[in-house]
Amino acid sequence: MAGRRRAEMVEETRGKLVHAARRAFAAKGYADASMDELTAEAGLTRGALYHNFGDKKGLLQAVIDQIDAEMLDRMRAAKADAESPWLGFLAESIAYIEMALEPEIQRIMLLDGPAVLGDPSRWPNQNACLATTTQTIQALIDAGTLKPLDAEAAARLLNGAALNAALWIAAAGDPPAVLGKAVAAFRHLAEGMLRSEV
């Protein structure tokens, strides 16, 4: 019983820190978010931050993991609403690109995240995304929807295109204007993999 309560307290502490950091990173950016201010907002100490996340960078990774999970849920919902597996794949990819318009995602996931944690294509969550995309593409190839391509190669290229489109939108002076161009180009790239009779 005591062990369970302790685990609940640890989870509660982590949750408070992630919530406070997410607000601070979204409002001020990673560089300007003060660890003292965000731990005070959470009602905790810097020691709690170090104990649970190692440092501010570890806390950023936890915030990114949380946002990424939410983004995946939204992408799955877009896919589920589509009329066919192919349209579901397109809807999922375009939903990801469109989320680059959201200020929190722009700042934390697409601007500060890469600046602090390095190339997003190498983040652990991207490996899981790549595996899922590869499986989806292989299923579309097997169903005769897509040309007989190497599924992993196609997945890497399409995931890279979606990620770079999102990074471009986030860094643009006029993100909504860039979104339209990015989505149109992504559609053309993806549709080039369709069998001509589809």
Side-chain angles (χ1 to χ4, degrees), residues 34-52:
S34 159
M35 289 195 300
D36 288 332
E37 288 176 12
L38 71 88
T39 53
E41 181 185 326
L44 298 164
T45 64
R46 281 180 86 157
L49 184 150
Y50 293 130
H51 177 75
N52 284 279

Side-chain angles (χ1 to χ4, degrees), residues 6-61:
R6 168 123 175 85
E8 289 172 358
M9 288 174 61
V10 167
E11 196 55 38
E12 183 181 335
T13 297
R14 289 178 63 85
K16 285 180 180 179
L17 286 166
V18 168
H19 177 74
R22 186 169 171 170
R23 287 171 42 106
F25 295 159
K28 300 177 181 178
Y30 176 83
D32 292 332
S34 159
M35 289 195 300
D36 288 332
E37 288 176 12
L38 71 88
T39 53
E41 181 185 326
L44 298 164
T45 64
R46 281 180 86 157
L49 184 150
Y50 293 130
H51 177 75
N52 284 279
F53 299 102
D55 56 15
K56 188 178 177 184
K57 190 173 174 179
L59 185 55
L60 175 63
Q61 182 64 64

Side-chain angles (χ1 to χ4, degrees), residues 102-126:
E102 298 175 25
E104 180 185 58
I105 290 172
Q106 276 183 9
R107 179 168 241 168
I108 296 172
M109 297 291 290
L110 300 170
L111 298 174
D112 287 349
V116 176
L117 301 175
D119 181 2
S121 69
R122 297 187 181 276
W123 294 355
N125 58 359
Q126 288 297 319

